[in-house]
Amino acid sequence: MSQFEILREAVTMVFSSISGSDQIDNIARPVFSLFTETTFIGEIEPHAHNKAQFLYVISGVLTVEAVGGIWTIPPQCGLWIPGGVLHAGRISGHINIGNLYIDPTLTTQLPKNCGIIFVAPLLRELLLRFDRSSVFQMQDKAREARLLSVLLDELAAAPLEPIHLPMPTDRRLRRLTEAMINSPQLRFTVNEWGVRVGASSRTLSRLFKRETGLSFMRWRQQLHIGLALQRLATGASVTTIAGDLGYESTSAFIAMFRRLLGTTPARYFDTASIADDTGSSDLENRHIAPSTQDAAKSTVISLKEKRIS
């Protein structure tokens, strides 16, 4: 077995691949967490398990495809994945992640759909307490039950960030959005797209709002945010990313990024990593444009056939 295959096997176990799914579901504990830190570039095959999963990104960026879309999860946030939901992942470089698994009998009061949750300090410490590989093993069942109750309360109380970029059903919009995903550098206006897909700009604008809940410009910006986070995680320069996404200048890209996420691309991962040392993150204090519904914490791109590479 090659070094790459060994690394993939290790990552998929923690990420819970198809083969790992049986192991995850066969672990007797109703709640436990697994942590790993690795450098890996590649995709994890689609899989599902009965246990619900909370995938916590400590550092780096992870992209997960599940029912409803593709989530790009920034540091200090996690993706809630209900039990039985088919999901796959893409890692683009160095990443430090934690996985919390919960028996489905304990998740009746937890969200029924995937969504992003910001990991506050208390929730983070609870995730660490249930680390299966930790030297700390709770022998006091009554104490474990109390901590479990607090953990479930924290997950239930945390609001899911519903931001997503749904793929429309209208054939004209499907052609448009798929073309934008395949070629994100295209800077055509709504009028120019209308000529290409056979619809007026007014019709496209109306359809965009009706079928996605977003304006054409907002949809494109949030697509770019998700792609930018993936590229930043691999170490790509801001200038290169701006050019690849079709911006006329790096400053224009930075302005868009700051407007949506409240900080510059160059500082994004630095400020998010502050939580590693202080127990709190600048993500909690950044000003996020209200219309994005906290785009810093989630960019979801609904795709049925094509995964962003």
Side-chain angles (χ1 to χ4, degrees):
M1 181 181 291
S2 68
Q3 184 176 0
F4 178 82
E5 290 171 331
I6 293 172
L7 180 56
R8 177 185 288 275
E9 184 174 314
V11 172
T12 53
M13 173 54 197
V14 179
F15 196 85
S16 65
S17 66
I18 294 176
S19 60
S21 299
D22 293 338
Q23 299 178 48
I24 293 297
D25 285 332
N26 288 335
I27 293 176
R29 293 185 63 179
V31 179
F32 62 91
S33 57
L34 297 171
F35 289 80
T36 189
E37 183 172 4
T38 187
T39 299
F40 180 79
I41 299 177
E43 297 185 357
I44 309 303
E45 294 302 317
H47 60 279
H49 33 77
N50 291 328
K51 284 184 168 67
Q53 179 179 4
F54 183 62
L55 210 168
Y56 168 38
V57 176
I58 301 168
S59 63
V61 168
L62 178 65
T63 301
V64 176
E65 181 176 359
V67 175
I70 296 177
W71 282 257
T72 299
I73 315 165
Q76 305 308 320
C77 293
L79 177 66
W80 171 255
I81 306 173
V85 172
L86 188 68
H87 56 285
R90 179 176 179 80
I91 299 174
S92 302
H94 191 78
I95 192 166
N96 189 353
I97 58 176
N99 287 278
L100 175 74
Y101 297 96
I102 306 178
D103 189 276
T105 60
L106 301 174
T107 63
T108 56
Q109 302 303 312
L110 298 180
K112 307 303 180 187
N113 300 308
C114 297
I116 295 289
I117 294 174
F118 176 76
V119 179
L122 176 57
L123 179 55
R124 185 188 64 183
E125 292 305 315
L126 289 166
L127 296 175
L128 293 171
R129 280 291 183 175
F130 284 91
D131 183 359
R132 185 168 179 263
S133 64
S134 173
V135 293
F136 173 83
Q137 295 290 333
M138 286 178 284
Q139 302 298 327
D140 187 334
K141 296 302 180 182
R143 183 167 184 265
E144 181 175 1
R146 291 193 297 270
L147 288 173
L148 174 57
S149 178
V150 175
L151 172 64
L152 296 177
D153 283 347
E154 285 295 298
L155 288 172
L160 287 179
E161 305 301 333
I163 183 69
H164 67 291
L165 296 176
M167 289 296 285
T169 58
D170 181 88
R171 62 177 179 78
R172 293 162 294 184
L173 286 191
R174 290 282 299 192
R175 287 174 57 195
L176 188 161
T177 53
E178 288 174 358
M180 291 171 66
I181 290 169
N182 292 331
S183 303
Q185 78 281 2
L186 295 177
R187 304 298 292 178
F188 297 144
T189 65
V190 175
N191 288 333
E192 291 169 327
W193 277 116
V195 173
R196 286 163 172 78
V197 301
S200 68
S201 60
R202 178 174 295 183
T203 296
L204 286 182
S205 296
R206 185 178 67 252
L207 287 173
F208 246 106
K209 195 68 175 178
R210 186 181 73 190
E211 297 207 6
T212 72
L214 300 169
S215 69
F216 167 77
M217 287 296 295
R218 182 63 69 189
W219 195 97
R220 181 165 64 184
Q221 288 174 345
Q222 292 179 183
L223 167 64
H224 286 176
I225 287 293
L227 296 175
L229 289 176
Q230 294 178 45
R231 297 290 304 281
L232 287 168
T234 66
S237 72
V238 175
T239 299
T240 298
I241 296 171
D244 290 346
L245 294 179
Y247 286 84
E248 294 182 355
S249 67
T250 303
S251 60
F253 168 70
I254 293 173
M256 182 278 295
F257 194 100
R258 183 195 291 273
R259 185 166 62 252
L260 267 65
L261 301 191
T263 190
T264 65
R267 294 192 60 209
Y268 185 82
F269 287 101
D270 290 339
T271 54
S273 66
I274 289 175
D276 290 341
D277 300 320
T278 66
S280 64
S281 170
D282 275 7
L283 278 171
E284 297 174 281
N285 302 316
R286 293 174 184 166
H287 172 71
I288 308 300
S291 59
T292 68
Q293 296 190 33
D294 212 348
K297 300 176 186 175
S298 174
T299 300
V300 184
I301 308 163
S302 286
L303 292 171
K304 293 184 178 178
E305 299 175 351
K306 184 172 181 66
R307 186 176 308 160
I308 294 176
S309 60

